[in-house]
């Protein structure tokens, strides 16, 4: 429970990177540290390796952040780790639905976790893209997105780092209404491509929200990462030199990734902790 004397917040980070090197976990940690400094809160977090070690947090944490990760969000169906992960989502959902629990637990699902959550809640189809989405892209809000606390102070469209081989499409609107959820944002319009625009952000219910993009991506760290000779070569080989140059340019535009980094995840943390402020131990 939150303590008003030292403003301590306990957070569980669910790591779905399966042991692969990544920038996402570093970025999440840095945002938590900065949020704690800005708010004069003591932020304490534990990390759980979901896929390799099948670690899941209990319900003692104040809020939860579930990361991106590699591989297929579809082929894992029926696996032991996914079954445990889905059971964990159910346990948080049941906790929040209990009338005796006045302080609810918020969850943010990012990228791979977002796709898994869409499957868990049965709100849309998760399918493989015709080609990999990789780069900095505009994200367009829908009507519900303009009223979404996660997107407070963002422009429409805003820009985000996108890296995925899969997509969420064909939403089940009846199911979404049943859950009390909403589609918040969709991908950029591609007039020359006769394909449905994929969902980029979803509110599954009052306390669970997810983004297809990476709100934690930071400009400085991502730039250093892409400037490494091995990473530069990989991006150019897979996506072309123009894509690499475009990413470097857009990462350092203060109105794009830097702005998204400074708002989306901090907005989630503000929303998830505001009920805790002033509650005695």
């Amino acid at each position: 429970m939150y303590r008003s004397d030292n403003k301590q917040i306990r957070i569980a980070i669910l790591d779905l990177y399966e042991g692969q090197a990544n920038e996402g976990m570093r970025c999440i940690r840095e945002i938590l540290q900065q949020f704690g400094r800005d708010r004069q809160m003591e932020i304490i977090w534990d990390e759980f390796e979901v896929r390799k070690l099948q670690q899941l947090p209990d319900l003692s944490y104040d809020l939860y952040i579930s990361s991106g990760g590699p591989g297929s969000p579809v082929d894992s169906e029926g696996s032991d780790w996914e079954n445990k992960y889905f059971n964990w989502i159910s346990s948080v959902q049941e906790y929040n639905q209990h009338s005796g629990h006045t302080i609810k637990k918020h969850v943010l699902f990012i990228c791979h976790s977002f796709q898994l959550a869409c499957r868990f809640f049965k709100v849309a189809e998760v399918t493989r893209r015709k080609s990999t989405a990789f780069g900095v892209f505009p994200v367009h809000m829908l009507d519900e997105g303009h009223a979404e606390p996660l997107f407070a102070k963002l422009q429409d469209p805003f820009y985000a780092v996108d890296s995925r081989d899969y997509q969420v499409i064909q939403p089940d609107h009846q199911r979404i209404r049943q859950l009390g959820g909403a589609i918040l944002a969709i991908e950029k319009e591609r007039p020359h491509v006769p394909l449905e625009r994929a969902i980029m952000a979803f509110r599954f219910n009052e306390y669970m929200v997810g983004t297809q993009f990476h709100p934690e991506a930071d400009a400085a760290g991502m730039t250093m990462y892409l400037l490494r000779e091995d990473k530069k070569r990989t991006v150019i080989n897979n996506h072309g030199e123009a894509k690499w140059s475009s990413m470097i340019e857009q990462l350092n535009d203060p109105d794009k990734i830097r702005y998204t980094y400074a708002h989306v995840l901090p907005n989630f943390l503000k929303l998830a902790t505001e009920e805790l402020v002033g509650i005695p131990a």
Side-chain angles (χ1 to χ4, degrees):
M1 179 62 72
Y2 171 82
R3 294 184 59 84
S4 59
D5 53 351
N6 62 8
K7 299 185 178 180
Q8 184 184 97
I9 303 294
R10 296 184 68 241
I11 299 174
I13 306 175
L14 287 75
D15 177 359
L16 271 73
Y17 280 102
E18 205 171 18
Q20 294 195 19
N22 67 89
E23 290 291 289
M25 293 295 290
R26 174 190 62 80
C27 293
I28 292 171
R29 296 181 196 115
E30 291 185 359
I31 290 174
L32 295 184
Q33 291 171 343
Q34 186 62 52
F35 185 82
R37 287 193 294 267
D38 291 346
R39 299 283 172 142
Q40 296 184 320
M41 292 178 177
E42 182 184 3
I43 303 292
I44 297 175
W45 68 85
D46 294 316
E47 299 177 13
F48 297 83
E49 211 304 328
V50 175
R51 295 167 73 172
K52 289 182 68 175
L53 302 181
Q54 299 185 19
Q55 297 174 337
L56 278 306
D58 60 24
L59 295 174
S60 67
Y61 294 88
D62 296 312
L63 62 105
Y64 302 85
I65 300 170
S66 191
S67 80
S72 167
V74 177
D75 293 347
S76 56
E77 183 175 2
S79 65
D80 288 344
W81 76 261
E82 186 184 276
N83 288 338
K84 291 180 180 178
Y85 182 71
F86 282 0
N87 287 338
W88 170 78
I89 296 176
S90 292
S91 70
V92 180
Q93 191 176 22
E94 289 171 7
Y95 180 96
N96 287 336
Q97 291 171 344
H98 193 291
S99 60
H101 298 149
T102 56
I103 304 299
K104 309 300 184 180
K105 298 180 183 294
H106 292 253
V107 182
L108 173 65
F109 301 95
I110 297 172
C111 197
H112 196 102
S113 295
F114 168 78
Q115 295 163 347
L116 292 172
C118 287
R119 284 185 44 230
F120 171 83
F121 286 106
K122 297 181 173 60
V123 292
E125 296 295 319
V126 181
T127 64
R128 191 173 185 89
R129 287 176 53 89
K130 290 187 177 296
S131 61
T132 299
F134 180 77
V136 176
F137 298 109
V139 177
H140 296 265
M141 295 185 205
L142 299 184
D143 288 345
E144 291 84 353
H146 288 281
E148 169 58 45
L150 200 69
F151 296 160
K153 298 184 179 180
L154 289 183
Q155 302 291 323
D156 183 18
F158 60 92
Y159 287 79
V161 169
D162 194 9
S163 177
R164 59 193 165 96
D165 292 311
Y166 289 79
Q167 61 184 352
V168 176
I169 57 174
Q170 299 177 22
D172 183 337
H173 294 285
Q174 182 176 350
R175 173 65 175 162
I176 295 166
R177 286 193 297 270
Q178 179 186 16
L179 291 170
I183 302 172
L184 305 177
I186 56 178
E187 68 183 347
K188 67 175 182 176
E189 187 171 9
R190 297 176 292 167
H192 58 291
V193 180
L195 296 173
E196 180 182 357
R197 295 163 74 182
I199 297 168
M200 296 302 289
F202 224 124
R203 178 157 288 284
F204 300 102
N205 54 54
E206 188 175 356
Y207 307 107
M208 296 183 176
V209 65
T211 67
Q212 177 65 85
F213 59 89
H214 285 272
E216 78 280 16
D218 71 317
M222 288 291 294
T223 299
M224 291 178 62
Y225 182 76
L226 290 171
L227 287 173
R228 281 172 43 184
E229 194 57 40
D230 59 332
K231 297 304 175 185
K232 177 180 179 180
R233 187 164 54 250
T234 298
V235 172
I236 291 175
N237 288 343
N238 291 336
H239 305 283
E241 189 163 1
K243 171 64 72 175
W244 179 86
S245 298
S246 172
M247 284 199 71
I248 294 296
E249 179 182 351
Q250 294 193 74
L251 278 169
N252 291 283
D253 184 331
D255 293 329
K256 292 184 178 178
I257 297 308
R258 292 184 183 183
Y259 203 79
T260 302
Y261 173 87
H263 287 85
V264 176
L265 190 44
N267 283 344
F268 168 76
L269 295 171
K270 178 178 180 294
L271 176 68
T273 57
E274 61 185 7
E275 287 183 328
L276 303 170
V277 175
I279 300 296

